[in-house]
Amino acid sequence: YWCMKGTCSVSAGSIVGVGIGWGAILTALINFLIAASAIYFLIVLPFNTINEIRHRRAQAQEREQEQAVSDEVALLTEIRDALVARSPEK
């Protein structure tokens, strides 16, 4: 035990004074680390992985949409040019 204030003495299994039991602190610290690591590896890490996969899919869909729009623009440009070439000049 470590005394916080004054002198501590142990008599008949009880502490006289304000003492801190290092065993209890160490046990609480180890329990906290075990719980924190379990929460991190079982909840936080999988959610981050899922969010990263969703983000990649969203980016791929955006690229596909941009490509589709550019294909449509190219096709419409060809149609416009063909109509202009076909129409009689005034």
Side-chain angles (χ1 to χ4, degrees):
Y1 285 96
W2 180 64
C3 289
M4 288 185 58
K5 185 176 182 184
T7 59
C8 292
S9 62
V10 178
S11 62
S14 64
I15 300 174
V16 177
V18 180
I20 296 178
W22 289 107
I25 292 174
L26 185 62
T27 301
L29 180 65
I30 291 171
N31 286 337
F32 171 78
L33 291 175
I34 290 171
S37 62
I39 289 171
Y40 178 76
F41 287 113
L42 296 176
I43 296 174
V44 174
L45 197 61
F47 276 125
N48 287 341
T49 304
I50 290 169
N51 284 336
E52 184 178 332
I53 291 170
R54 285 181 184 169
H55 182 69
R56 287 182 192 166
R57 286 183 184 168
Q59 284 181 342
Q61 287 178 350
E62 288 176 6
R63 279 189 235 120
E64 288 174 4
Q65 288 176 353
E66 289 173 2
Q67 182 65 29
V69 169
S70 64
D71 289 343
E72 288 177 3
V73 170
L75 179 63
L76 290 172
T77 305
E78 288 179 25
I79 292 171
R80 182 198 62 201
D81 293 341
L83 288 174
V84 167
R86 196 174 92 182
S87 68
E89 305 224 3
K90 295 182 181 181

